[in-house]
């Protein structure tokens, strides 16, 4: 069966430090991969979307970037974190239509 | 782009009560999902339902694609049903703002 792994679960980083969040999917090939952010409040905002290796669509201009070095690996990065980057980051995958989410990373920038 | 609106934004129920959550979307969609976000933040898949009706235990959902809405029914609610319920549409999963449900014992 398919599983998605996202780590770390929580992270506290100082302003100006770099960021790397990793997400991997097992049990499927060529999934669509997504990064979302949920800030204070409820809405989930799509940050990046990938349909294949090296193919990244950025949905919102920001301080973050994403990469997909392998078929089932999706990485969210920043060179210098801002206070406004704090939030709950969720990775998701889908094949055909239904999407499934990882457990999320709670990032606090201090 | 497609707009997704959920109502009500907040709902407080007594344990055992029934409820209906609504999701309206501004354009036709080929994909609609309902999720439950638990207190730990995890998004749990409830239904993949671009059209028609599905049931899973005390939960059921109906999507009327031609009228651009979907309904999530919760019957005999339990305290463990508390959390935020989201609908999301299309391949890139455009989310509504959610309905925060609180079930009191």
């Amino acid at each position: 069966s398919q599983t998605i792994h996202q780590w770390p679960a929580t992270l506290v980083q100082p302003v100006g430090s770099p960021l790397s969040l990793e997400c991997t999917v097992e049990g499927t090939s060529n999934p669509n991969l997504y990064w979302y952010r949920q800030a204070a409040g409820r809405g989930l905002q799509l940050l990046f979307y990938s349909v294949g290796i090296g193919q990244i669509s950025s949905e919102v201009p920001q301080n973050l970037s994403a990469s997909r070095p392998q078929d089932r690996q999706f990485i969210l990065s920043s060179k210098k974190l801002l206070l406004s980057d704090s939030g709950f980051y969720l990775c998701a995958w889908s094949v055909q239509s239904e999407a499934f989410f990882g457990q999320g990373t709670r990032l606090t920038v201090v | 782009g497609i707009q997704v609106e959920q109502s009500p934004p907040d709902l407080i129920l007594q344990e055992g009560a029934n409820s209906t959550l609504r999701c309206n979307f501004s354009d036709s969609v080929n994909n609609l999902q309902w999720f439950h976000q638990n207190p730990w933040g995890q998004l749990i898949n409830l239904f993949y339902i671009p059209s028609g009706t599905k049931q899973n235990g005390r939960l059921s959902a109906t999507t009327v694609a031609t009228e651009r809405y979907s309904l999530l029914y919760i019957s005999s609610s339990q305290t463990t049903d508390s959390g935020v319920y989201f609908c999301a549409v299309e391949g890139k999963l455009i989310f509504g703002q959610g309905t925060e449900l609180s079930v009191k014992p």
Side-chain angles (χ1 to χ4, degrees):
Chain A
S1 65
Q2 301 92 347
T3 56
I4 180 169
H5 301 281
Q6 187 181 342
W7 67 91
T10 60
L11 192 58
V12 179
Q13 292 283 97
V15 169
S17 64
L19 173 73
S20 181
L21 301 180
E22 188 165 342
C23 171
T24 60
V25 180
E26 295 178 356
T28 187
S29 296
N30 197 30
N32 295 328
L33 295 172
Y34 314 77
W35 278 110
Y36 288 84
R37 176 169 61 198
Q38 188 176 31
R42 294 202 288 256
L44 278 86
Q45 180 184 40
L46 177 63
L47 301 176
F48 299 97
Y49 168 65
S50 173
V51 298
I53 295 174
Q55 300 177 62
I56 311 291
S57 295
S58 174
E59 297 296 310
V60 181
Q62 60 214 321
N63 186 40
L64 302 169
S65 62
S67 61
R68 184 170 177 174
Q70 301 180 42
D71 181 44
R72 291 170 290 177
Q73 185 185 27
F74 206 22
I75 298 173
L76 182 69
S77 302
S78 173
K79 292 182 179 177
K80 289 185 179 181
L81 285 169
L82 306 172
L83 286 174
S84 58
D85 291 324
S86 293
F88 188 51
Y89 289 82
L90 288 149
C91 179
W93 71 273
S94 69
V95 174
Q96 297 182 347
S97 294
E98 188 171 7
F100 298 87
F101 282 79
Q103 298 204 338
T105 296
R106 202 165 299 277
L107 172 66
T108 304
V109 182
V110 295
Chain B
I2 294 177
Q3 304 298 313
V4 181
E5 295 184 358
Q6 291 186 242
S7 59
D10 301 280
L11 185 59
I12 300 174
L13 297 176
Q14 208 63 36
E15 200 168 26
N18 303 329
S19 62
T20 301
L21 282 58
R22 188 177 180 102
C23 173
N24 292 333
F25 39 96
S26 60
D27 204 348
S28 58
V29 298
N30 297 311
N31 176 13
L32 188 144
Q33 290 186 241
W34 282 97
F35 297 91
H36 175 214
Q37 188 169 37
N38 65 23
W40 297 273
Q42 189 173 4
L43 279 169
I44 309 297
N45 288 47
L46 297 178
F47 295 101
Y48 170 70
I49 186 165
S51 64
T53 297
K54 292 185 177 180
Q55 181 161 7
N56 184 3
R58 296 181 296 102
L59 302 182
S60 63
T62 295
T63 297
V64 183
T66 53
E67 297 188 20
R68 302 178 185 173
Y69 73 88
S70 183
L71 302 174
L72 178 68
Y73 305 96
I74 304 174
S75 64
S76 304
S77 58
Q78 302 176 357
T79 56
T80 52
D81 295 331
S82 296
V84 184
Y85 290 80
F86 289 102
C87 70
V89 302
E90 283 306 73
K92 292 184 181 181
L93 286 182
I94 301 165
F95 278 78
Q97 289 297 302
T99 292
E100 183 159 13
L101 174 64
S102 179
V103 181
K104 304 296 185 185

